[in-house]
Amino acid sequence: MRKYAVAVLLLFVSALSFAQDNAPVVSISKDSAEACYQSGVDLFSDGRYEEAAAMLRKAAESGHADAQYDYGLCCFNGNGLAEDKDEAVVWFCKAAFQGLPVAQYTMGNCYEYGYGVEQSSESAVEWYMLSAGQGYADAQAALGIAYYSGVGVEQDNQIAAEWFRRAAEQGNADAQSFLGTFYANGIVVQQSGYKAALWYQKAADQGHPEGLYNLGYCYEFGVGVDWDEDKAMELYEAAASAGLAVAQLDLAMYYIERDNLGDDEISLEWLYAAVAQDYPDAQYLLGRLYYEGRIVGKDQERAARWFAMAAAQENTEAQCDLGFCYLTGQGVRQDVEIAVRWFVKAAEQGNVRAQHNIGVCYYEGLGLKQSYEEAVKWFTLAADEGYPDSEYYLGVCYNNGQGVEKSRSTAVKLLRRAKKGGNEEASEALKILSE
Protein backbone atom coordinates (compact mmCIF):
# COMPACT_ATOMS: atom_id res chain seq x y z
CA MET A 1 0.00 0.00 0.00
CA ARG A 2 3.06 2.31 0.14
CA LYS A 3 2.55 3.66 -3.36
CA TYR A 4 -1.01 4.64 -2.40
CA ALA A 5 0.30 6.47 0.68
CA VAL A 6 2.53 8.55 -1.60
CA ALA A 7 -0.41 9.29 -3.92
CA VAL A 8 -2.61 10.25 -0.97
CA LEU A 9 0.11 12.55 0.42
CA LEU A 10 0.43 14.30 -2.91
CA LEU A 11 -3.33 14.62 -3.09
CA PHE A 12 -3.47 16.21 0.37
CA VAL A 13 -0.75 18.71 -0.58
CA SER A 14 -2.75 19.64 -3.68
CA ALA A 15 -6.00 19.80 -1.73
CA LEU A 16 -4.39 21.90 1.00
CA SER A 17 -3.26 24.48 -1.55
CA PHE A 18 -6.71 24.42 -3.15
CA ALA A 19 -8.45 24.85 0.20
CA GLN A 20 -6.14 27.65 1.34
CA ASP A 21 -6.77 29.52 -1.90
CA ASN A 22 -10.48 29.38 -1.04
CA ALA A 23 -10.28 29.92 2.73
CA PRO A 24 -13.36 30.91 4.81
CA VAL A 25 -14.16 34.60 4.71
CA VAL A 26 -16.72 34.66 7.55
CA SER A 27 -16.02 33.66 11.15
CA ILE A 28 -18.88 32.68 13.47
CA SER A 29 -18.91 30.42 16.50
CA LYS A 30 -19.11 26.67 16.19
CA ASP A 31 -22.57 26.64 17.75
CA SER A 32 -23.77 29.38 15.40
CA ALA A 33 -22.39 27.48 12.41
CA GLU A 34 -24.21 24.33 13.49
CA ALA A 35 -27.42 26.31 13.98
CA CYS A 36 -27.07 27.83 10.50
CA TYR A 37 -26.44 24.39 9.06
CA GLN A 38 -29.51 22.84 10.71
CA SER A 39 -31.62 25.80 9.61
CA GLY A 40 -30.38 25.32 6.04
CA VAL A 41 -31.24 21.62 6.12
CA ASP A 42 -34.74 22.37 7.44
CA LEU A 43 -35.34 25.07 4.84
CA PHE A 44 -34.18 22.73 2.10
CA SER A 45 -36.58 20.03 3.33
CA ASP A 46 -39.39 22.60 3.09
CA GLY A 47 -38.46 23.39 -0.49
CA ARG A 48 -37.22 26.88 0.34
CA TYR A 49 -34.04 26.41 -1.66
CA GLU A 50 -32.80 30.01 -1.94
CA GLU A 51 -33.03 30.58 1.80
CA ALA A 52 -31.51 27.15 2.42
CA ALA A 53 -28.56 27.87 0.16
CA ALA A 54 -27.93 31.19 1.93
CA MET A 55 -27.89 29.57 5.37
CA LEU A 56 -25.73 26.67 4.22
CA ARG A 57 -23.25 29.09 2.68
CA LYS A 58 -23.03 31.04 5.91
CA ALA A 59 -22.23 27.87 7.86
CA ALA A 60 -19.91 26.64 5.10
CA GLU A 61 -17.87 29.85 5.11
CA SER A 62 -17.32 29.32 8.82
CA GLY A 63 -15.74 25.93 8.09
CA HIS A 64 -18.65 23.57 8.84
CA ALA A 65 -17.76 20.48 6.77
CA ASP A 66 -21.29 19.14 6.31
CA ALA A 67 -22.49 22.59 5.29
CA GLN A 68 -19.63 22.91 2.81
CA TYR A 69 -20.65 19.63 1.24
CA ASP A 70 -24.36 20.42 1.15
CA TYR A 71 -23.75 23.90 -0.24
CA GLY A 72 -21.59 22.26 -2.88
CA LEU A 73 -24.57 20.06 -3.76
CA CYS A 74 -26.74 23.17 -4.11
CA CYS A 75 -24.20 24.63 -6.53
CA PHE A 76 -23.88 21.33 -8.38
CA ASN A 77 -27.63 20.82 -8.86
CA GLY A 78 -28.71 24.46 -9.09
CA ASN A 79 -30.85 24.35 -5.93
CA GLY A 80 -31.57 27.92 -4.83
CA LEU A 81 -28.88 29.42 -7.03
CA ALA A 82 -27.49 29.10 -10.54
CA GLU A 83 -25.96 25.72 -11.32
CA ASP A 84 -22.18 25.98 -11.12
CA LYS A 85 -20.19 22.76 -11.05
CA ASP A 86 -16.87 24.59 -10.82
CA GLU A 87 -18.04 26.30 -7.64
CA ALA A 88 -19.45 23.02 -6.36
CA VAL A 89 -16.04 21.39 -6.62
CA VAL A 90 -14.51 24.21 -4.55
CA TRP A 91 -16.86 23.40 -1.66
CA PHE A 92 -16.64 19.63 -2.07
CA CYS A 93 -12.86 19.96 -1.82
CA LYS A 94 -13.08 22.06 1.35
CA ALA A 95 -15.25 19.42 3.01
CA ALA A 96 -13.13 16.58 1.64
CA PHE A 97 -9.95 18.16 3.04
CA GLN A 98 -11.60 18.18 6.44
CA GLY A 99 -11.95 14.41 6.11
CA LEU A 100 -15.66 14.14 5.24
CA PRO A 101 -15.90 10.72 3.54
CA VAL A 102 -18.92 11.53 1.35
CA ALA A 103 -17.17 14.66 0.09
CA GLN A 104 -14.03 12.68 -0.74
CA TYR A 105 -16.19 10.16 -2.61
CA THR A 106 -17.94 12.97 -4.46
CA MET A 107 -14.59 14.47 -5.45
CA GLY A 108 -13.80 11.05 -6.91
CA ASN A 109 -17.02 11.21 -8.91
CA CYS A 110 -16.18 14.68 -10.17
CA TYR A 111 -12.78 13.54 -11.41
CA GLU A 112 -14.18 10.31 -12.85
CA TYR A 113 -16.76 12.12 -14.97
CA GLY A 114 -15.09 15.51 -15.41
CA TYR A 115 -17.61 17.54 -13.39
CA GLY A 116 -16.07 20.93 -12.65
CA VAL A 117 -12.54 19.56 -13.07
CA GLU A 118 -10.50 18.05 -15.85
CA GLN A 119 -11.40 14.36 -16.12
CA SER A 120 -8.82 12.12 -14.51
CA SER A 121 -9.44 8.47 -13.66
CA GLU A 122 -6.22 8.39 -11.64
CA SER A 123 -7.29 11.35 -9.47
CA ALA A 124 -10.71 9.76 -9.05
CA VAL A 125 -9.12 6.61 -7.67
CA GLU A 126 -7.00 8.65 -5.23
CA TRP A 127 -10.08 10.37 -3.81
CA TYR A 128 -11.98 7.08 -3.64
CA MET A 129 -9.04 5.61 -1.73
CA LEU A 130 -9.25 8.36 0.89
CA SER A 131 -12.98 7.85 1.36
CA ALA A 132 -12.83 4.06 1.25
CA GLY A 133 -10.11 4.06 3.87
CA GLN A 134 -12.64 5.61 6.23
CA GLY A 135 -15.09 2.81 5.51
CA TYR A 136 -17.38 4.67 3.09
CA ALA A 137 -19.17 1.87 1.23
CA ASP A 138 -19.89 3.72 -2.03
CA ALA A 139 -16.20 4.60 -2.36
CA GLN A 140 -15.21 1.01 -1.62
CA ALA A 141 -17.53 -0.18 -4.40
CA ALA A 142 -16.13 2.46 -6.76
CA LEU A 143 -12.61 1.24 -6.00
CA GLY A 144 -13.70 -2.32 -6.69
CA ILE A 145 -15.01 -1.27 -10.08
CA ALA A 146 -11.80 0.64 -10.83
CA TYR A 147 -9.61 -2.37 -10.03
CA TYR A 148 -11.94 -4.75 -11.88
CA SER A 149 -11.96 -2.62 -15.03
CA GLY A 150 -8.38 -1.39 -14.77
CA VAL A 151 -9.44 2.25 -15.19
CA GLY A 152 -7.28 4.70 -13.28
CA VAL A 153 -5.34 1.91 -11.64
CA GLU A 154 -3.64 -1.32 -12.65
CA GLN A 155 -6.22 -4.08 -13.17
CA ASP A 156 -6.32 -6.48 -10.21
CA ASN A 157 -9.27 -8.79 -9.58
CA GLN A 158 -7.93 -9.82 -6.18
CA ILE A 159 -7.97 -6.25 -4.87
CA ALA A 160 -11.30 -5.62 -6.60
CA ALA A 161 -12.85 -8.59 -4.81
CA GLU A 162 -11.64 -7.34 -1.44
CA TRP A 163 -13.14 -3.88 -1.95
CA PHE A 164 -16.38 -5.37 -3.26
CA ARG A 165 -16.58 -7.60 -0.19
CA ARG A 166 -16.07 -4.69 2.20
CA ALA A 167 -18.73 -2.61 0.48
CA ALA A 168 -21.13 -5.55 0.05
CA GLU A 169 -21.00 -6.38 3.74
CA GLN A 170 -22.11 -2.81 4.42
CA GLY A 171 -25.08 -3.28 2.10
CA ASN A 172 -23.84 -1.59 -1.09
CA ALA A 173 -25.96 -3.11 -3.86
CA ASP A 174 -23.44 -2.48 -6.67
CA ALA A 175 -20.79 -4.36 -4.73
CA GLN A 176 -23.19 -7.18 -3.86
CA SER A 177 -24.03 -7.68 -7.52
CA PHE A 178 -20.36 -7.63 -8.56
CA LEU A 179 -19.45 -10.05 -5.78
CA GLY A 180 -22.20 -12.36 -7.01
CA THR A 181 -20.63 -12.25 -10.47
CA PHE A 182 -17.22 -13.12 -9.00
CA TYR A 183 -18.72 -16.21 -7.36
CA ALA A 184 -20.75 -17.12 -10.44
CA ASN A 185 -17.64 -17.11 -12.63
CA GLY A 186 -15.02 -18.18 -10.11
CA ILE A 187 -13.07 -14.91 -10.37
CA VAL A 188 -10.34 -15.14 -7.68
CA VAL A 189 -12.80 -17.01 -5.45
CA GLN A 190 -13.99 -20.59 -5.54
CA GLN A 191 -16.91 -20.79 -7.95
CA SER A 192 -20.19 -21.16 -6.11
CA GLY A 193 -23.63 -20.82 -7.65
CA TYR A 194 -25.12 -20.76 -4.17
CA LYS A 195 -23.01 -17.79 -3.03
CA ALA A 196 -23.57 -16.04 -6.35
CA ALA A 197 -27.34 -16.31 -5.96
CA LEU A 198 -27.06 -15.23 -2.32
CA TRP A 199 -25.27 -11.98 -3.19
CA TYR A 200 -27.52 -11.34 -6.20
CA GLN A 201 -30.52 -11.77 -3.90
CA LYS A 202 -29.15 -9.16 -1.48
CA ALA A 203 -28.70 -6.71 -4.35
CA ALA A 204 -32.10 -7.58 -5.84
CA ASP A 205 -33.79 -6.98 -2.48
CA GLN A 206 -32.67 -3.36 -2.83
CA GLY A 207 -34.12 -3.12 -6.34
CA HIS A 208 -30.69 -3.17 -7.97
CA PRO A 209 -31.31 -3.69 -11.73
CA GLU A 210 -28.24 -5.87 -12.41
CA GLY A 211 -28.88 -7.84 -9.23
CA LEU A 212 -32.45 -8.52 -10.34
CA TYR A 213 -31.31 -9.52 -13.82
CA ASN A 214 -28.53 -11.81 -12.62
CA LEU A 215 -30.79 -13.44 -10.05
CA GLY A 216 -33.29 -14.03 -12.87
CA TYR A 217 -30.54 -15.85 -14.75
CA CYS A 218 -29.92 -18.02 -11.69
CA TYR A 219 -33.57 -19.02 -11.56
CA GLU A 220 -33.79 -19.56 -15.31
CA PHE A 221 -30.90 -22.02 -15.30
CA GLY A 222 -31.02 -23.31 -11.73
CA VAL A 223 -27.72 -21.76 -10.66
CA GLY A 224 -27.52 -21.91 -6.87
CA VAL A 225 -31.31 -22.00 -6.60
CA ASP A 226 -34.09 -24.33 -7.70
CA TRP A 227 -35.04 -23.87 -11.34
CA ASP A 228 -38.10 -21.61 -11.61
CA GLU A 229 -38.91 -20.09 -15.02
CA ASP A 230 -41.82 -18.02 -13.68
CA LYS A 231 -39.62 -16.50 -10.99
CA ALA A 232 -36.93 -15.82 -13.59
CA MET A 233 -39.41 -13.97 -15.81
CA GLU A 234 -40.66 -11.97 -12.84
CA LEU A 235 -37.11 -10.87 -12.03
CA TYR A 236 -36.28 -10.05 -15.66
CA GLU A 237 -39.37 -7.88 -15.88
CA ALA A 238 -38.43 -6.14 -12.62
CA ALA A 239 -34.94 -5.43 -13.99
CA ALA A 240 -36.39 -4.16 -17.26
CA SER A 241 -38.89 -1.96 -15.43
CA ALA A 242 -35.99 -0.56 -13.42
CA GLY A 243 -34.46 0.58 -16.71
CA LEU A 244 -31.84 -2.08 -17.42
CA ALA A 245 -31.44 -2.03 -21.20
CA VAL A 246 -30.13 -5.60 -21.56
CA ALA A 247 -33.15 -6.91 -19.65
CA GLN A 248 -35.48 -4.88 -21.86
CA LEU A 249 -33.82 -6.31 -24.96
CA ASP A 250 -33.97 -9.86 -23.61
CA LEU A 251 -37.69 -9.51 -22.93
CA ALA A 252 -38.23 -8.12 -26.43
CA MET A 253 -36.41 -11.10 -27.92
CA TYR A 254 -38.35 -13.52 -25.70
CA TYR A 255 -41.71 -12.21 -26.90
CA ILE A 256 -40.54 -12.09 -30.54
CA GLU A 257 -39.42 -15.71 -30.41
CA ARG A 258 -42.52 -16.86 -28.54
CA ASP A 259 -44.62 -15.41 -31.38
CA ASN A 260 -47.98 -15.64 -29.59
CA LEU A 261 -50.99 -13.51 -30.44
CA GLY A 262 -50.53 -10.08 -28.91
CA ASP A 263 -46.81 -10.54 -28.27
CA ASP A 264 -45.73 -8.16 -31.04
CA GLU A 265 -46.93 -5.09 -29.15
CA ILE A 266 -45.23 -6.20 -25.92
CA SER A 267 -41.97 -7.03 -27.67
CA LEU A 268 -41.85 -3.66 -29.42
CA GLU A 269 -42.63 -1.86 -26.17
CA TRP A 270 -39.57 -3.40 -24.50
CA LEU A 271 -37.43 -3.00 -27.59
CA TYR A 272 -38.21 0.71 -27.94
CA ALA A 273 -37.46 1.16 -24.22
CA ALA A 274 -33.96 -0.24 -24.79
CA VAL A 275 -33.51 1.76 -28.01
CA ALA A 276 -34.46 4.94 -26.12
CA GLN A 277 -31.40 4.33 -23.94
CA ASP A 278 -29.20 4.29 -27.06
CA TYR A 279 -28.43 0.61 -26.46
CA PRO A 280 -26.58 -0.60 -29.59
CA ASP A 281 -27.76 -4.23 -29.45
CA ALA A 282 -31.36 -3.01 -29.38
CA GLN A 283 -30.72 -0.63 -32.28
CA TYR A 284 -29.29 -3.53 -34.25
CA LEU A 285 -32.28 -5.77 -33.54
CA LEU A 286 -34.68 -3.02 -34.63
CA GLY A 287 -32.68 -2.71 -37.83
CA ARG A 288 -32.97 -6.45 -38.42
CA LEU A 289 -36.74 -6.30 -37.89
CA TYR A 290 -37.07 -3.53 -40.49
CA TYR A 291 -34.74 -5.38 -42.85
CA GLU A 292 -36.73 -8.62 -42.61
CA GLY A 293 -40.16 -6.98 -42.34
CA ARG A 294 -40.84 -8.87 -39.13
CA ILE A 295 -43.32 -7.33 -36.66
CA VAL A 296 -42.72 -3.93 -38.31
CA GLY A 297 -43.15 -3.17 -42.00
CA LYS A 298 -40.20 -3.94 -44.23
CA ASP A 299 -38.18 -0.77 -44.74
CA GLN A 300 -34.58 -1.04 -45.91
CA GLU A 301 -33.83 2.65 -45.43
CA ARG A 302 -34.86 2.50 -41.78
CA ALA A 303 -32.97 -0.74 -41.39
CA ALA A 304 -29.80 0.88 -42.70
CA ARG A 305 -30.25 3.88 -40.38
CA TRP A 306 -30.56 1.67 -37.31
CA PHE A 307 -27.61 -0.44 -38.44
CA ALA A 308 -25.60 2.78 -38.77
CA MET A 309 -26.49 3.92 -35.26
CA ALA A 310 -25.50 0.58 -33.75
CA ALA A 311 -22.40 0.34 -35.92
CA ALA A 312 -21.20 3.72 -34.67
CA GLN A 313 -21.24 2.20 -31.17
CA GLU A 314 -19.03 -0.72 -32.28
CA ASN A 315 -21.74 -3.36 -32.67
CA THR A 316 -19.91 -5.64 -35.10
CA GLU A 317 -23.05 -7.39 -36.41
CA ALA A 318 -24.48 -3.98 -37.31
CA GLN A 319 -21.20 -3.00 -38.95
CA CYS A 320 -21.32 -6.17 -41.04
CA ASP A 321 -24.95 -5.67 -42.06
CA LEU A 322 -24.38 -2.01 -42.83
CA GLY A 323 -21.48 -3.05 -45.04
CA PHE A 324 -23.77 -5.49 -46.84
CA CYS A 325 -26.34 -2.71 -47.36
CA TYR A 326 -23.67 -0.56 -49.01
CA LEU A 327 -22.40 -3.52 -51.02
CA THR A 328 -25.84 -4.27 -52.46
CA GLY A 329 -27.38 -0.79 -52.38
CA GLN A 330 -30.17 -1.76 -49.98
CA GLY A 331 -31.50 1.28 -48.13
CA VAL A 332 -28.42 3.34 -49.05
CA ARG A 333 -26.63 4.42 -52.19
CA GLN A 334 -24.45 1.54 -53.34
CA ASP A 335 -20.81 2.13 -52.48
CA VAL A 336 -18.53 -0.89 -52.47
CA GLU A 337 -15.61 1.01 -50.91
CA ILE A 338 -17.72 2.06 -47.90
CA ALA A 339 -18.98 -1.50 -47.65
CA VAL A 340 -15.42 -2.81 -47.43
CA ARG A 341 -14.53 -0.25 -44.74
CA TRP A 342 -17.38 -1.50 -42.54
CA PHE A 343 -16.45 -5.13 -43.19
CA VAL A 344 -12.85 -4.42 -42.20
CA LYS A 345 -13.94 -2.58 -39.04
CA ALA A 346 -16.04 -5.54 -37.93
CA ALA A 347 -13.53 -8.16 -39.07
CA GLU A 348 -10.71 -6.61 -37.09
CA GLN A 349 -12.84 -7.10 -33.98
CA GLY A 350 -13.25 -10.80 -34.77
CA ASN A 351 -16.61 -10.86 -36.53
CA VAL A 352 -16.46 -14.03 -38.66
CA ARG A 353 -19.22 -12.95 -41.02
CA ALA A 354 -17.28 -9.80 -41.83
CA GLN A 355 -14.08 -11.79 -42.27
CA HIS A 356 -15.88 -13.98 -44.78
CA ASN A 357 -17.27 -10.96 -46.62
CA ILE A 358 -13.79 -9.45 -46.98
CA GLY A 359 -12.65 -12.79 -48.38
CA VAL A 360 -15.44 -12.62 -50.97
CA CYS A 361 -14.49 -9.03 -51.84
CA TYR A 362 -10.89 -10.11 -52.48
CA TYR A 363 -12.02 -13.23 -54.33
CA GLU A 364 -14.36 -11.31 -56.63
CA GLY A 365 -12.41 -8.02 -56.73
CA LEU A 366 -15.27 -6.04 -55.17
CA GLY A 367 -13.96 -2.74 -53.78
CA LEU A 368 -10.55 -4.35 -53.34
CA LYS A 369 -7.84 -5.39 -55.77
CA GLN A 370 -8.58 -8.99 -56.71
CA SER A 371 -6.30 -11.38 -54.82
CA TYR A 372 -6.85 -15.07 -54.20
CA GLU A 373 -4.04 -15.04 -51.64
CA GLU A 374 -5.75 -12.34 -49.55
CA ALA A 375 -9.11 -14.07 -50.02
CA VAL A 376 -7.65 -17.31 -48.66
CA LYS A 377 -6.25 -15.46 -45.63
CA TRP A 378 -9.67 -14.09 -44.68
CA PHE A 379 -11.56 -17.29 -45.53
CA THR A 380 -9.14 -19.19 -43.31
CA LEU A 381 -9.79 -16.87 -40.36
CA ALA A 382 -13.53 -17.43 -40.61
CA ALA A 383 -13.27 -21.14 -41.46
CA ASP A 384 -11.13 -21.71 -38.37
CA GLU A 385 -14.12 -20.47 -36.38
CA GLY A 386 -16.40 -22.94 -38.16
CA TYR A 387 -18.11 -20.53 -40.56
CA PRO A 388 -19.64 -22.80 -43.27
CA ASP A 389 -19.61 -20.30 -46.15
CA SER A 390 -15.89 -19.67 -45.68
CA GLU A 391 -15.25 -23.40 -45.47
CA TYR A 392 -16.99 -23.73 -48.84
CA TYR A 393 -15.00 -20.94 -50.51
CA LEU A 394 -11.76 -22.20 -48.99
CA GLY A 395 -12.56 -25.68 -50.29
CA VAL A 396 -13.04 -24.24 -53.77
CA CYS A 397 -9.70 -22.41 -53.50
CA TYR A 398 -7.89 -25.63 -52.56
CA ASN A 399 -9.64 -27.57 -55.31
CA ASN A 400 -8.71 -24.98 -57.94
CA GLY A 401 -5.32 -23.99 -56.55
CA GLN A 402 -6.43 -20.39 -56.12
CA GLY A 403 -4.13 -18.60 -53.66
CA VAL A 404 -2.96 -21.92 -52.20
CA GLU A 405 -1.30 -25.06 -53.40
CA LYS A 406 -3.89 -27.30 -55.03
CA SER A 407 -5.06 -30.13 -52.75
CA ARG A 408 -8.11 -32.24 -53.53
CA SER A 409 -8.05 -33.98 -50.13
CA THR A 410 -8.04 -30.66 -48.26
CA ALA A 411 -10.79 -29.38 -50.53
CA VAL A 412 -12.99 -32.40 -49.81
CA LYS A 413 -12.41 -32.09 -46.07
CA LEU A 414 -13.39 -28.41 -46.09
CA LEU A 415 -16.42 -28.99 -48.30
CA ARG A 416 -17.64 -31.75 -46.00
CA ARG A 417 -17.33 -29.40 -43.03
CA ALA A 418 -19.25 -26.74 -44.96
CA LYS A 419 -21.96 -29.22 -45.89
CA LYS A 420 -22.30 -30.34 -42.29
CA GLY A 421 -22.70 -26.68 -41.34
CA GLY A 422 -25.58 -26.28 -43.78
CA ASN A 423 -23.92 -24.81 -46.88
CA GLU A 424 -25.93 -26.15 -49.84
CA GLU A 425 -23.32 -25.21 -52.46
CA ALA A 426 -20.87 -27.50 -50.69
CA SER A 427 -23.22 -30.44 -51.26
CA GLU A 428 -23.29 -29.76 -55.00
CA ALA A 429 -19.51 -29.33 -55.14
CA LEU A 430 -18.96 -32.66 -53.39
CA LYS A 431 -21.23 -34.38 -55.91
CA ILE A 432 -19.17 -32.98 -58.78
CA LEU A 433 -15.89 -34.02 -57.15
CA SER A 434 -17.17 -37.55 -56.62
CA GLU A 435 -18.05 -38.05 -60.30
Side-chain angles (χ1 to χ4, degrees), residues 57-80:
R57 168 122 193 178
K58 186 176 181 181
E61 288 178 336
S62 184
H64 192 290
D66 288 321
Q68 290 170 341
Y69 177 70
D70 285 357
Y71 181 69
L73 287 178
C74 289
C75 295
F76 191 92
N77 296 314
N79 297 130

Side-chain angles (χ1 to χ4, degrees), residues 396-418:
V396 171
C397 288
Y398 272 101
N399 186 65
N400 298 333
Q402 296 170 315
V404 290
E405 186 177 343
K406 190 170 184 178
S407 172
R408 188 176 186 280
S409 61
T410 302
V412 169
K413 183 168 68 173
L414 285 162
L415 291 170
R416 284 175 177 168
R417 280 169 49 186

Side-chain angles (χ1 to χ4, degrees), residues 284 310-311 313-322 342 345-347 349-351 353-354:
Y284 172 64
Q313 297 194 69
E314 305 303 328
N315 182 294
T316 62
E317 291 297 325
Q319 291 170 343
C320 188
D321 281 358
L322 183 60
W342 282 114
K345 195 171 181 63
Q349 298 179 71
N351 186 286
R353 209 158 47 97

Side-chain angles (χ1 to χ4, degrees), residues 230 268 276 305 406 422:
D230 292 337
L268 286 176
R305 283 201 297 271
K406 190 170 184 178

Side-chain angles (χ1 to χ4, degrees), residues 198-212:
L198 185 69
W199 284 112
Y200 288 148
Q201 182 69 66
K202 289 179 181 293
D205 287 344
Q206 299 187 63
H208 189 268
E210 286 83 1
L212 290 162

Side-chain angles (χ1 to χ4, degrees), residues 189-234:
V189 295
Q190 185 174 351
Q191 188 174 21
S192 170
Y194 170 77
K195 289 184 178 179
L198 185 69
W199 284 112
Y200 288 148
Q201 182 69 66
K202 289 179 181 293
D205 287 344
Q206 299 187 63
H208 189 268
E210 286 83 1
L212 290 162
Y213 179 77
N214 290 329
L215 186 60
Y217 179 91
C218 289
Y219 276 103
E220 183 179 3
F221 296 100
V223 177
V225 293
D226 292 335
W227 175 83
D228 189 331
E229 191 172 280
D230 292 337
K231 181 68 173 177
M233 182 58 66
E234 176 187 326

